[in-house]
Amino acid sequence: MAKNTQFYINGAWVDPAVANTFDVINPSDEEVCATISLGGQADTDAAVAAAKAAFPSWSQTSKADRLALLKKLLEVYKSRAEEMAQAMSMEMGAPIDMSRANQTGAGSWHLEGFIKAFEGFEFDRDYTATEKTLLEPIGVCALITPWNWPMNQIVLKAVPAIATGCTVVLKPSEIAPLSGLLFAEFMHEAGFPAGVFNMVNGDGVGVGSQLSVHPDVDMVSFTGSSRAGILISKAAADTLKRVSLELGGKGANILFADAGEKAMTYSADRCFRNTGQSCNAPTRLLVERSIYDQAVEVVAQRAKDTHVGPASDEGKHIGPVVSEAQFDKIQGLIQVGIDEGAKLVAGGTGRPDGLNRGYYVKPTVFADVNNQMEIARTEIFGPVLAVIPFDTEEEAIEIANDTPYGLTNYIQTPDDEKRRRVARQLRSGMVETNGQGFAQGSPFGGYKQSGNGREGGLYGLEEFLEVKAVSGWTKA
Ligand code: NAD
């Protein structure tokens, strides 16, 4: 059993080179729930050196050997799923039922998706009758992950990197590091060779930056804020390493007049899910004018009916937001919405009644929002919905695309032609329509300032590969 203050380097749990502890806060009650270490340069160097040393042999292992280890990992993950659900629920406030089903479930679901995609994956491809294209692992990969969907993000990076023959150093979010520690235990239990997977806890300015500039790191795969994505890209530029970015979003959800009331309640629920802390949350609800008043009423009522409570409560509800910093940021942005003249129809500043401790936010709805207002432009990352009216299909598309982000947009209409026509015109990596979730292994990622890579399944595997063309593979 690992100690929370240790790192996993070269197949062993080790103490940090220099002690530097950091308290993990349970957002449901604001109490310290664990203490980790923040690594420094010596720890980063040790982890990168272990990954570099393991790369030559790991990259030459057979696909069958790697598949067997991934299947073993899935077995371990499933057998210890309850530990994982409890860890995430405590560290970032996901309600326990949701943590089991969605937060923990996302990890095993993506792992299964990668196993399926990898089974049929061809590293050697014929280009012409005499020329081969060889896909080869890029090398040592630094994986830097956020706190909002911890296991989703870690699995989406660590599994394809390792499957394709790369070796990795994971730096989980220091705000929610317990799931990452547990995942390192799973990797150890599954039996991956020493150095293939390494994990160092730390913050962005420390281990995060050290990995980004490290000359022996070939690629950084990052999920988090656009702010950090820019800093990492600049830091990585001097060594010209590959940088894959999954960043923020400000998704539009276009509700056409024929969508129906169910689509309205779905739209509110989808925004408040995970307490609004999802990069792909549909936070701008664009409503066709003829149903606007009804939609505002329905989503406002849904917000008022959304129960907020501690993560340990069973049943359907939303938990706190992750930290005091996030709580303060969200409160500030709700106030900005009020000050810039949006109409507050549910929620507002302050905690919900009866909740005095913990980072709880009232599910909030602003109506009559203009797309130029700050609450329509900034990623709030809390349960705050901005409702914007539109008159024509063209106007809806224009508003939806008028954002620096381009992660996920949403469309609600039973009209097949209209849905497809609009989906083609939305500038985003994903368009979710009529509440239909994406299939296992679908490519996840963004256009514009939402990032530049794709995760999951086949596309996710290809992210970690170099492409080599070899002529004369067979005689002409
Ligand atoms: P964050 O950017 O503050 O931190 C993410 C990770 O980056 C953490 O591990 C952090 O320690 C590290 N980090 C911070 N600054 C760094 C730096 N200068 N150099 C290297 N590493 C650094 O983001 P967060 O608050 O943890 O997560 C929320 C953000 O993540 C939101 O903007 C959200 O939209 C985004 N997100 C995107 C996706 C996606 O796939 N597009 C998924 C989940 C979350």
Side-chain angles (χ1 to χ4, degrees), residues 144-149 152-153 171-175 202-205 207-209 212 222-229 231-232 246-249 278-280 326 379 381 407 444-445 450 455:
I144 302 177
T145 56
W147 47 260
N148 61 332
W149 285 92
N152 185 68
Q153 299 313 137
K171 190 206 84 64
S173 166
E174 66 277 26
I175 312 288
D203 57 18
V205 290
V207 178
S209 304
S212 308
F222 169 74
T223 297
S225 61
S226 301
R227 175 200 64 81
L231 290 172
I232 289 170
E246 299 290 346
L247 308 174
S278 298
C279 45
N280 59 355
Q326 285 298 119
E379 186 185 48
F381 234 52
L407 192 58
F444 186 104
S450 288
E455 295 194 314

mmCIF file of all heavy atoms in Angstrom, residues 144-149 152-153 171-175 202-205 207-209 212 222-229 231-232 246-249 278-280 326 379 381 407 444-445 450 455, ligand 1:
data_model
loop_
_atom_site.group_PDB
_atom_site.id
_atom_site.type_symbol
_atom_site.label_atom_id
_atom_site.label_comp_id
_atom_site.label_asym_id
_atom_site.label_seq_id
_atom_site.Cartn_x
_atom_site.Cartn_y
_atom_site.Cartn_z
ATOM 1 N N ILE A 144 -0.286 15.531 -17.983
ATOM 2 C CA ILE A 144 -0.660 16.506 -16.948
ATOM 3 C C ILE A 144 -2.182 16.625 -16.947
ATOM 4 O O ILE A 144 -2.782 16.960 -17.978
ATOM 5 C CB ILE A 144 0.005 17.874 -17.222
ATOM 6 C CG1 ILE A 144 1.534 17.708 -17.280
ATOM 7 C CG2 ILE A 144 -0.384 18.892 -16.150
ATOM 8 C CD1 ILE A 144 2.312 18.989 -17.609
ATOM 9 N N THR A 145 -2.807 16.316 -15.813
ATOM 10 C CA THR A 145 -4.270 16.154 -15.802
ATOM 11 C C THR A 145 -4.949 17.067 -14.771
ATOM 12 O O THR A 145 -4.333 17.485 -13.804
ATOM 13 C CB THR A 145 -4.636 14.676 -15.528
ATOM 14 O OG1 THR A 145 -4.023 14.266 -14.310
ATOM 15 C CG2 THR A 145 -4.185 13.782 -16.662
ATOM 16 N N PRO A 146 -6.252 17.347 -15.005
ATOM 17 C CA PRO A 146 -7.010 18.236 -14.109
ATOM 18 C C PRO A 146 -7.810 17.456 -13.051
ATOM 19 O O PRO A 146 -7.750 16.230 -13.008
ATOM 20 C CB PRO A 146 -7.958 18.931 -15.081
ATOM 21 C CG PRO A 146 -8.288 17.856 -16.065
ATOM 22 C CD PRO A 146 -7.078 16.965 -16.174
ATOM 23 N N TRP A 147 -8.565 18.200 -12.263
ATOM 24 C CA TRP A 147 -9.279 17.601 -11.130
ATOM 25 C C TRP A 147 -10.734 17.270 -11.426
ATOM 26 O O TRP A 147 -11.413 16.639 -10.629
ATOM 27 C CB TRP A 147 -9.236 18.561 -9.927
ATOM 28 C CG TRP A 147 -9.594 19.980 -10.302
ATOM 29 C CD1 TRP A 147 -8.715 21.004 -10.526
ATOM 30 C CD2 TRP A 147 -10.899 20.527 -10.550
ATOM 31 N NE1 TRP A 147 -9.386 22.158 -10.900
ATOM 32 C CE2 TRP A 147 -10.731 21.885 -10.918
ATOM 33 C CE3 TRP A 147 -12.196 20.001 -10.497
ATOM 34 C CZ2 TRP A 147 -11.801 22.722 -11.230
ATOM 35 C CZ3 TRP A 147 -13.261 20.837 -10.813
ATOM 36 C CH2 TRP A 147 -13.070 22.167 -11.171
ATOM 37 N N ASN A 148 -11.289 17.733 -12.548
ATOM 38 C CA ASN A 148 -12.752 17.686 -12.671
ATOM 39 C C ASN A 148 -13.315 16.331 -13.095
ATOM 40 O O ASN A 148 -14.410 15.965 -12.691
ATOM 41 C CB ASN A 148 -13.242 18.799 -13.603
ATOM 42 C CG ASN A 148 -12.682 18.686 -14.993
ATOM 43 O OD1 ASN A 148 -11.590 18.149 -15.196
ATOM 44 N ND2 ASN A 148 -13.400 19.186 -15.970
ATOM 45 N N TRP A 149 -12.564 15.608 -13.923
ATOM 46 C CA TRP A 149 -12.916 14.220 -14.268
ATOM 47 C C TRP A 149 -11.607 13.428 -14.140
ATOM 48 O O TRP A 149 -11.024 13.000 -15.161
ATOM 49 C CB TRP A 149 -13.471 14.120 -15.701
ATOM 50 C CG TRP A 149 -14.865 14.628 -15.837
ATOM 51 C CD1 TRP A 149 -15.256 15.899 -16.160
ATOM 52 C CD2 TRP A 149 -16.078 13.882 -15.653
ATOM 53 N NE1 TRP A 149 -16.628 15.984 -16.180
ATOM 54 C CE2 TRP A 149 -17.155 14.761 -15.872
ATOM 55 C CE3 TRP A 149 -16.365 12.555 -15.309
ATOM 56 C CZ2 TRP A 149 -18.497 14.355 -15.764
ATOM 57 C CZ3 TRP A 149 -17.686 12.155 -15.202
ATOM 58 C CH2 TRP A 149 -18.731 13.057 -15.438
ATOM 59 N N ASN A 152 -11.216 9.778 -15.801
ATOM 60 C CA ASN A 152 -11.484 9.934 -17.228
ATOM 61 C C ASN A 152 -10.216 10.444 -17.924
ATOM 62 O O ASN A 152 -9.740 9.873 -18.914
ATOM 63 C CB ASN A 152 -12.618 10.957 -17.369
ATOM 64 C CG ASN A 152 -13.102 11.134 -18.790
ATOM 65 O OD1 ASN A 152 -13.688 10.231 -19.352
ATOM 66 N ND2 ASN A 152 -12.848 12.286 -19.371
ATOM 67 N N GLN A 153 -9.634 11.506 -17.372
ATOM 68 C CA GLN A 153 -8.483 12.140 -18.017
ATOM 69 C C GLN A 153 -7.227 11.280 -17.937
ATOM 70 O O GLN A 153 -6.459 11.201 -18.892
ATOM 71 C CB GLN A 153 -8.211 13.505 -17.386
ATOM 72 C CG GLN A 153 -9.348 14.489 -17.528
ATOM 73 C CD GLN A 153 -9.906 14.549 -18.915
ATOM 74 O OE1 GLN A 153 -11.114 14.584 -19.086
ATOM 75 N NE2 GLN A 153 -9.069 14.531 -19.923
ATOM 76 N N LYS A 171 1.509 13.493 -13.992
ATOM 77 C CA LYS A 171 1.358 14.453 -12.892
ATOM 78 C C LYS A 171 -0.125 14.777 -12.772
ATOM 79 O O LYS A 171 -0.679 15.577 -13.527
ATOM 80 C CB LYS A 171 2.136 15.748 -13.138
ATOM 81 C CG LYS A 171 2.149 16.595 -11.858
ATOM 82 C CD LYS A 171 2.303 18.085 -12.092
ATOM 83 C CE LYS A 171 1.013 18.788 -12.403
ATOM 84 N NZ LYS A 171 0.008 18.773 -11.337
ATOM 85 N N PRO A 172 -0.789 14.143 -11.800
ATOM 86 C CA PRO A 172 -2.214 14.445 -11.625
ATOM 87 C C PRO A 172 -2.394 15.828 -11.018
ATOM 88 O O PRO A 172 -1.432 16.431 -10.531
ATOM 89 C CB PRO A 172 -2.691 13.381 -10.626
ATOM 90 C CG PRO A 172 -1.556 12.445 -10.410
ATOM 91 C CD PRO A 172 -0.310 13.158 -10.821
ATOM 92 N N SER A 173 -3.618 16.300 -11.010
ATOM 93 C CA SER A 173 -3.914 17.583 -10.359
ATOM 94 C C SER A 173 -3.600 17.482 -8.866
ATOM 95 O O SER A 173 -4.004 16.520 -8.208
ATOM 96 C CB SER A 173 -5.388 17.927 -10.549
ATOM 97 O OG SER A 173 -5.744 18.966 -9.665
ATOM 98 N N GLU A 174 -2.927 18.487 -8.349
ATOM 99 C CA GLU A 174 -2.621 18.496 -6.915
ATOM 100 C C GLU A 174 -3.882 18.721 -6.079
ATOM 101 O O GLU A 174 -3.908 18.426 -4.884
ATOM 102 C CB GLU A 174 -1.563 19.562 -6.596
ATOM 103 C CG GLU A 174 -1.982 21.015 -6.805
ATOM 104 C CD GLU A 174 -1.863 21.507 -8.262
ATOM 105 O OE1 GLU A 174 -1.932 20.682 -9.191
ATOM 106 O OE2 GLU A 174 -1.712 22.734 -8.443
ATOM 107 N N ILE A 175 -4.945 19.219 -6.713
ATOM 108 C CA ILE A 175 -6.212 19.453 -5.998
ATOM 109 C C ILE A 175 -6.937 18.121 -5.756
ATOM 110 O O ILE A 175 -7.639 17.957 -4.767
ATOM 111 C CB ILE A 175 -7.152 20.370 -6.844
ATOM 112 C CG1 ILE A 175 -6.425 21.603 -7.365
ATOM 113 C CG2 ILE A 175 -8.420 20.735 -6.094
ATOM 114 C CD1 ILE A 175 -6.080 22.645 -6.351
ATOM 115 N N GLY A 202 2.592 17.049 -7.837
ATOM 116 C CA GLY A 202 3.228 18.358 -7.818
ATOM 117 C C GLY A 202 2.271 19.404 -8.354
ATOM 118 O O GLY A 202 1.175 19.069 -8.814
ATOM 119 N N ASP A 203 2.708 20.645 -8.300
ATOM 120 C CA ASP A 203 1.848 21.707 -8.833
ATOM 121 C C ASP A 203 2.313 22.128 -10.230
ATOM 122 O O ASP A 203 3.298 21.599 -10.767
ATOM 123 C CB ASP A 203 1.767 22.888 -7.854
ATOM 124 C CG ASP A 203 3.136 23.456 -7.512
ATOM 125 O OD1 ASP A 203 4.101 23.180 -8.261
ATOM 126 O OD2 ASP A 203 3.253 24.162 -6.501
ATOM 127 N N GLY A 204 1.591 23.076 -10.800
ATOM 128 C CA GLY A 204 1.883 23.494 -12.172
ATOM 129 C C GLY A 204 3.224 24.183 -12.307
ATOM 130 O O GLY A 204 3.992 23.893 -13.230
ATOM 131 N N VAL A 205 3.506 25.097 -11.373
ATOM 132 C CA VAL A 205 4.776 25.825 -11.499
ATOM 133 C C VAL A 205 5.970 24.929 -11.203
ATOM 134 O O VAL A 205 7.079 25.197 -11.673
ATOM 135 C CB VAL A 205 4.843 27.088 -10.581
ATOM 136 C CG1 VAL A 205 3.920 28.165 -11.057
ATOM 137 C CG2 VAL A 205 4.558 26.737 -9.132
ATOM 138 N N VAL A 207 6.428 20.644 -10.793
ATOM 139 C CA VAL A 207 6.563 19.460 -11.662
ATOM 140 C C VAL A 207 5.958 19.702 -13.054
ATOM 141 O O VAL A 207 6.534 19.287 -14.066
ATOM 142 C CB VAL A 207 5.925 18.220 -10.989
ATOM 143 C CG1 VAL A 207 6.016 17.007 -11.904
ATOM 144 C CG2 VAL A 207 6.601 17.921 -9.657
ATOM 145 N N GLY A 208 4.825 20.413 -13.110
ATOM 146 C CA GLY A 208 4.182 20.664 -14.409
ATOM 147 C C GLY A 208 5.117 21.390 -15.368
ATOM 148 O O GLY A 208 5.313 20.968 -16.515
ATOM 149 N N SER A 209 5.722 22.476 -14.885
ATOM 150 C CA SER A 209 6.645 23.242 -15.737
ATOM 151 C C SER A 209 7.915 22.455 -16.020
ATOM 152 O O SER A 209 8.452 22.499 -17.129
ATOM 153 C CB SER A 209 7.041 24.557 -15.058
ATOM 154 O OG SER A 209 5.902 25.276 -14.746
ATOM 155 N N SER A 212 7.336 20.152 -18.762
ATOM 156 C CA SER A 212 7.104 20.839 -20.049
ATOM 157 C C SER A 212 8.412 21.242 -20.728
ATOM 158 O O SER A 212 8.491 21.267 -21.954
ATOM 159 C CB SER A 212 6.239 22.086 -19.846
ATOM 160 O OG SER A 212 5.074 21.756 -19.135
ATOM 161 N N PHE A 222 -1.737 17.312 -22.292
ATOM 162 C CA PHE A 222 -2.266 18.135 -21.200
ATOM 163 C C PHE A 222 -3.771 18.291 -21.303
ATOM 164 O O PHE A 222 -4.312 18.538 -22.387
ATOM 165 C CB PHE A 222 -1.614 19.530 -21.262
ATOM 166 C CG PHE A 222 -2.266 20.540 -20.352
ATOM 167 C CD1 PHE A 222 -2.065 20.499 -18.981
ATOM 168 C CD2 PHE A 222 -3.098 21.524 -20.867
ATOM 169 C CE1 PHE A 222 -2.681 21.426 -18.142
ATOM 170 C CE2 PHE A 222 -3.710 22.460 -20.028
ATOM 171 C CZ PHE A 222 -3.502 22.408 -18.667
ATOM 172 N N THR A 223 -4.450 18.188 -20.201
ATOM 173 C CA THR A 223 -5.850 18.589 -20.115
ATOM 174 C C THR A 223 -5.981 19.566 -18.967
ATOM 175 O O THR A 223 -5.500 19.298 -17.863
ATOM 176 C CB THR A 223 -6.780 17.384 -19.876
ATOM 177 O OG1 THR A 223 -6.691 16.518 -20.994
ATOM 178 C CG2 THR A 223 -8.234 17.829 -19.722
ATOM 179 N N GLY A 224 -6.639 20.680 -19.223
ATOM 180 C CA GLY A 224 -6.833 21.671 -18.174
ATOM 181 C C GLY A 224 -7.246 22.989 -18.782
ATOM 182 O O GLY A 224 -7.835 23.036 -19.866
ATOM 183 N N SER A 225 -6.898 24.051 -18.106
ATOM 184 C CA SER A 225 -7.346 25.378 -18.532
ATOM 185 C C SER A 225 -6.562 25.871 -19.750
ATOM 186 O O SER A 225 -5.416 25.467 -19.976
ATOM 187 C CB SER A 225 -7.157 26.362 -17.381
ATOM 188 O OG SER A 225 -5.789 26.429 -17.039
ATOM 189 N N SER A 226 -7.160 26.766 -20.485
ATOM 190 C CA SER A 226 -6.466 27.375 -21.621
ATOM 191 C C SER A 226 -5.249 28.154 -21.113
ATOM 192 O O SER A 226 -4.204 28.188 -21.763
ATOM 193 C CB SER A 226 -7.416 28.295 -22.392
ATOM 194 O OG SER A 226 -8.512 27.541 -22.855
ATOM 195 N N ARG A 227 -5.408 28.767 -19.941
ATOM 196 C CA ARG A 227 -4.292 29.519 -19.335
ATOM 197 C C ARG A 227 -3.046 28.627 -19.230
ATOM 198 O O ARG A 227 -1.973 28.971 -19.732
ATOM 199 C CB ARG A 227 -4.718 29.988 -17.928
ATOM 200 C CG ARG A 227 -3.647 30.682 -17.121
ATOM 201 C CD ARG A 227 -3.972 30.668 -15.611
ATOM 202 N NE ARG A 227 -4.007 29.341 -15.021
ATOM 203 C CZ ARG A 227 -2.935 28.655 -14.640
ATOM 204 N NH1 ARG A 227 -1.737 29.176 -14.755
ATOM 205 N NH2 ARG A 227 -3.047 27.430 -14.129
ATOM 206 N N ALA A 228 -3.208 27.458 -18.607
ATOM 207 C CA ALA A 228 -2.055 26.563 -18.434
ATOM 208 C C ALA A 228 -1.617 25.980 -19.783
ATOM 209 O O ALA A 228 -0.421 25.776 -20.010
ATOM 210 C CB ALA A 228 -2.387 25.464 -17.438
ATOM 211 N N GLY A 229 -2.580 25.738 -20.681
ATOM 212 C CA GLY A 229 -2.244 25.206 -22.005
ATOM 213 C C GLY A 229 -1.303 26.126 -22.767
ATOM 214 O O GLY A 229 -0.368 25.670 -23.442
ATOM 215 N N LEU A 231 0.764 28.364 -21.345
ATOM 216 C CA LEU A 231 2.065 28.351 -20.660
ATOM 217 C C LEU A 231 2.862 27.092 -21.017
ATOM 218 O O LEU A 231 4.067 27.151 -21.270
ATOM 219 C CB LEU A 231 1.866 28.416 -19.128
ATOM 220 C CG LEU A 231 1.356 29.753 -18.582
ATOM 221 C CD1 LEU A 231 1.001 29.644 -17.106
ATOM 222 C CD2 LEU A 231 2.424 30.836 -18.795
ATOM 223 N N ILE A 232 2.178 25.958 -21.066
ATOM 224 C CA ILE A 232 2.857 24.694 -21.390
ATOM 225 C C ILE A 232 3.374 24.731 -22.833
ATOM 226 O O ILE A 232 4.508 24.329 -23.115
ATOM 227 C CB ILE A 232 1.907 23.498 -21.150
ATOM 228 C CG1 ILE A 232 1.700 23.314 -19.639
ATOM 229 C CG2 ILE A 232 2.424 22.215 -21.797
ATOM 230 C CD1 ILE A 232 0.616 22.339 -19.260
ATOM 231 N N GLU A 246 -6.091 19.468 -24.418
ATOM 232 C CA GLU A 246 -7.551 19.386 -24.254
ATOM 233 C C GLU A 246 -7.914 20.487 -23.271
ATOM 234 O O GLU A 246 -7.610 20.378 -22.079
ATOM 235 C CB GLU A 246 -7.966 18.024 -23.673
ATOM 236 C CG GLU A 246 -7.599 16.829 -24.522
ATOM 237 C CD GLU A 246 -8.396 16.723 -25.799
ATOM 238 O OE1 GLU A 246 -9.426 17.414 -25.934
ATOM 239 O OE2 GLU A 246 -7.970 15.965 -26.682
ATOM 240 N N LEU A 247 -8.552 21.549 -23.760
ATOM 241 C CA LEU A 247 -8.713 22.734 -22.912
ATOM 242 C C LEU A 247 -10.185 23.003 -22.567
ATOM 243 O O LEU A 247 -10.977 22.081 -22.485
ATOM 244 C CB LEU A 247 -8.042 23.922 -23.610
ATOM 245 C CG LEU A 247 -6.591 23.643 -24.027
ATOM 246 C CD1 LEU A 247 -6.030 24.786 -24.846
ATOM 247 C CD2 LEU A 247 -5.699 23.361 -22.830
ATOM 248 N N GLY A 248 -10.495 24.244 -22.384
ATOM 249 C CA GLY A 248 -11.829 24.584 -21.896
ATOM 250 C C GLY A 248 -12.884 24.652 -22.986
ATOM 251 O O GLY A 248 -12.629 24.340 -24.150
ATOM 252 N N GLY A 249 -14.083 25.080 -22.586
ATOM 253 C CA GLY A 249 -15.175 25.200 -23.550
ATOM 254 C C GLY A 249 -16.241 26.161 -23.061
ATOM 255 O O GLY A 249 -16.251 26.576 -21.904
ATOM 256 N N SER A 278 -17.460 20.683 -16.124
ATOM 257 C CA SER A 278 -17.091 19.858 -17.278
ATOM 258 C C SER A 278 -16.728 20.784 -18.413
ATOM 259 O O SER A 278 -17.452 21.750 -18.692
ATOM 260 C CB SER A 278 -18.255 18.959 -17.719
ATOM 261 O OG SER A 278 -18.596 18.063 -16.689
ATOM 262 N N CYS A 279 -15.621 20.469 -19.079
ATOM 263 C CA CYS A 279 -15.183 21.308 -20.192
ATOM 264 C C CYS A 279 -16.213 21.306 -21.313
ATOM 265 O O CYS A 279 -16.322 22.268 -22.057
ATOM 266 C CB CYS A 279 -13.852 20.798 -20.710
ATOM 267 S SG CYS A 279 -13.836 19.016 -20.898
ATOM 268 N N ASN A 280 -16.981 20.218 -21.423
ATOM 269 C CA ASN A 280 -17.959 20.122 -22.513
ATOM 270 C C ASN A 280 -19.378 20.494 -22.070
ATOM 271 O O ASN A 280 -20.342 20.198 -22.758
ATOM 272 C CB ASN A 280 -17.945 18.707 -23.108
ATOM 273 C CG ASN A 280 -18.269 17.644 -22.084
ATOM 274 O OD1 ASN A 280 -18.413 17.933 -20.892
ATOM 275 N ND2 ASN A 280 -18.380 16.402 -22.525
ATOM 276 N N GLN A 326 -12.277 27.994 -6.695
ATOM 277 C CA GLN A 326 -13.334 27.862 -7.699
ATOM 278 C C GLN A 326 -14.626 28.496 -7.192
ATOM 279 O O GLN A 326 -15.345 29.154 -7.940
ATOM 280 C CB GLN A 326 -13.568 26.392 -8.055
ATOM 281 C CG GLN A 326 -12.510 25.786 -8.944
ATOM 282 C CD GLN A 326 -12.428 26.481 -10.299
ATOM 283 O OE1 GLN A 326 -11.402 27.043 -10.650
ATOM 284 N NE2 GLN A 326 -13.504 26.465 -11.069
ATOM 285 N N GLU A 379 -15.485 30.824 -19.381
ATOM 286 C CA GLU A 379 -15.831 29.504 -18.855
ATOM 287 C C GLU A 379 -15.972 29.633 -17.339
ATOM 288 O O GLU A 379 -14.983 29.876 -16.642
ATOM 289 C CB GLU A 379 -14.728 28.500 -19.215
ATOM 290 C CG GLU A 379 -15.082 27.083 -18.819
ATOM 291 C CD GLU A 379 -13.931 26.118 -19.058
ATOM 292 O OE1 GLU A 379 -12.798 26.426 -18.660
ATOM 293 O OE2 GLU A 379 -14.173 25.059 -19.639
ATOM 294 N N PHE A 381 -17.272 27.316 -15.123
ATOM 295 C CA PHE A 381 -16.933 26.051 -14.464
ATOM 296 C C PHE A 381 -17.674 25.870 -13.140
ATOM 297 O O PHE A 381 -17.118 25.458 -12.124
ATOM 298 C CB PHE A 381 -15.417 25.935 -14.259
ATOM 299 C CG PHE A 381 -14.859 24.656 -14.834
ATOM 300 C CD1 PHE A 381 -15.123 24.305 -16.144
ATOM 301 C CD2 PHE A 381 -14.073 23.797 -14.074
ATOM 302 C CE1 PHE A 381 -14.629 23.125 -16.688
ATOM 303 C CE2 PHE A 381 -13.570 22.615 -14.604
ATOM 304 C CZ PHE A 381 -13.846 22.289 -15.917
ATOM 305 N N LEU A 407 -15.289 23.259 -28.303
ATOM 306 C CA LEU A 407 -15.202 21.869 -27.828
ATOM 307 C C LEU A 407 -16.454 21.075 -28.203
ATOM 308 O O LEU A 407 -16.423 20.257 -29.110
ATOM 309 C CB LEU A 407 -14.945 21.856 -26.319
ATOM 310 C CG LEU A 407 -14.555 20.499 -25.745
ATOM 311 C CD1 LEU A 407 -13.302 19.957 -26.405
ATOM 312 C CD2 LEU A 407 -14.357 20.575 -24.237
ATOM 313 N N PHE A 444 -12.514 12.630 -28.877
ATOM 314 C CA PHE A 444 -12.878 13.729 -27.970
ATOM 315 C C PHE A 444 -11.815 14.806 -28.070
ATOM 316 O O PHE A 444 -10.629 14.541 -27.852
ATOM 317 C CB PHE A 444 -12.945 13.188 -26.532
ATOM 318 C CG PHE A 444 -13.459 14.184 -25.524
ATOM 319 C CD1 PHE A 444 -14.751 14.087 -25.028
ATOM 320 C CD2 PHE A 444 -12.653 15.216 -25.061
ATOM 321 C CE1 PHE A 444 -15.238 15.012 -24.110
ATOM 322 C CE2 PHE A 444 -13.131 16.138 -24.139
ATOM 323 C CZ PHE A 444 -14.421 16.030 -23.662
ATOM 324 N N GLY A 445 -12.227 16.029 -28.405
ATOM 325 C CA GLY A 445 -11.263 17.118 -28.475
ATOM 326 C C GLY A 445 -11.885 18.338 -29.111
ATOM 327 O O GLY A 445 -13.048 18.308 -29.519
ATOM 328 N N SER A 450 -10.070 25.464 -27.751
ATOM 329 C CA SER A 450 -10.379 24.304 -26.908
ATOM 330 C C SER A 450 -9.328 23.210 -27.049
ATOM 331 O O SER A 450 -9.439 22.164 -26.398
ATOM 332 C CB SER A 450 -11.766 23.750 -27.249
ATOM 333 O OG SER A 450 -12.766 24.625 -26.773
ATOM 334 N N GLU A 455 -8.774 12.515 -28.102
ATOM 335 C CA GLU A 455 -8.564 11.421 -27.149
ATOM 336 C C GLU A 455 -9.634 10.360 -27.316
ATOM 337 O O GLU A 455 -10.735 10.637 -27.789
ATOM 338 C CB GLU A 455 -8.576 11.981 -25.716
ATOM 339 C CG GLU A 455 -7.397 12.924 -25.483
ATOM 340 C CD GLU A 455 -7.143 13.245 -24.020
ATOM 341 O OE1 GLU A 455 -8.105 13.541 -23.293
ATOM 342 O OE2 GLU A 455 -5.961 13.211 -23.617
HETATM 343 P P1 NAD B 1 -5.469 23.881 -14.602
HETATM 344 O O1 NAD B 1 -5.039 24.257 -15.954
HETATM 345 O O2 NAD B 1 -5.312 24.863 -13.514
HETATM 346 O O3 NAD B 1 -4.673 22.593 -14.115
HETATM 347 C C1 NAD B 1 -4.639 21.396 -14.870
HETATM 348 C C2 NAD B 1 -3.334 20.685 -14.604
HETATM 349 O O4 NAD B 1 -2.273 21.477 -15.104
HETATM 350 C C3 NAD B 1 -3.024 20.461 -13.133
HETATM 351 O O5 NAD B 1 -2.369 19.218 -13.009
HETATM 352 C C4 NAD B 1 -2.083 21.608 -12.803
HETATM 353 O O6 NAD B 1 -1.210 21.338 -11.746
HETATM 354 C C5 NAD B 1 -1.307 21.731 -14.110
HETATM 355 N N1 NAD B 1 -0.751 23.048 -14.380
HETATM 356 C C6 NAD B 1 -1.239 24.253 -14.021
HETATM 357 N N2 NAD B 1 -0.416 25.230 -14.475
HETATM 358 C C7 NAD B 1 0.594 24.618 -15.140
HETATM 359 C C8 NAD B 1 1.756 25.083 -15.825
HETATM 360 N N3 NAD B 1 2.029 26.379 -15.918
HETATM 361 N N4 NAD B 1 2.584 24.182 -16.383
HETATM 362 C C9 NAD B 1 2.318 22.861 -16.311
HETATM 363 N N5 NAD B 1 1.244 22.358 -15.656
HETATM 364 C C10 NAD B 1 0.386 23.228 -15.091
HETATM 365 O O7 NAD B 1 -6.949 23.383 -14.775
HETATM 366 P P2 NAD B 1 -7.927 22.779 -13.693
HETATM 367 O O8 NAD B 1 -8.440 23.936 -12.910
HETATM 368 O O9 NAD B 1 -7.316 21.636 -12.956
HETATM 369 O O10 NAD B 1 -9.063 22.125 -14.625
HETATM 370 C C11 NAD B 1 -10.107 22.848 -15.130
HETATM 371 C C12 NAD B 1 -9.878 23.179 -16.590
HETATM 372 O O11 NAD B 1 -9.672 21.997 -17.351
HETATM 373 C C13 NAD B 1 -11.070 23.826 -17.216
HETATM 374 O O12 NAD B 1 -10.682 24.929 -17.994
HETATM 375 C C14 NAD B 1 -11.659 22.747 -18.104
HETATM 376 O O13 NAD B 1 -12.414 23.196 -19.161
HETATM 377 C C15 NAD B 1 -10.452 22.009 -18.526
HETATM 378 N N6 NAD B 1 -10.780 20.638 -18.948
HETATM 379 C C16 NAD B 1 -10.712 20.314 -20.280
HETATM 380 C C17 NAD B 1 -11.033 19.040 -20.715
HETATM 381 C C18 NAD B 1 -10.961 18.678 -22.167
HETATM 382 O O14 NAD B 1 -10.791 17.523 -22.479
HETATM 383 N N7 NAD B 1 -11.053 19.619 -23.086
HETATM 384 C C19 NAD B 1 -11.407 18.075 -19.792
HETATM 385 C C20 NAD B 1 -11.456 18.414 -18.460
HETATM 386 C C21 NAD B 1 -11.123 19.707 -18.048
#
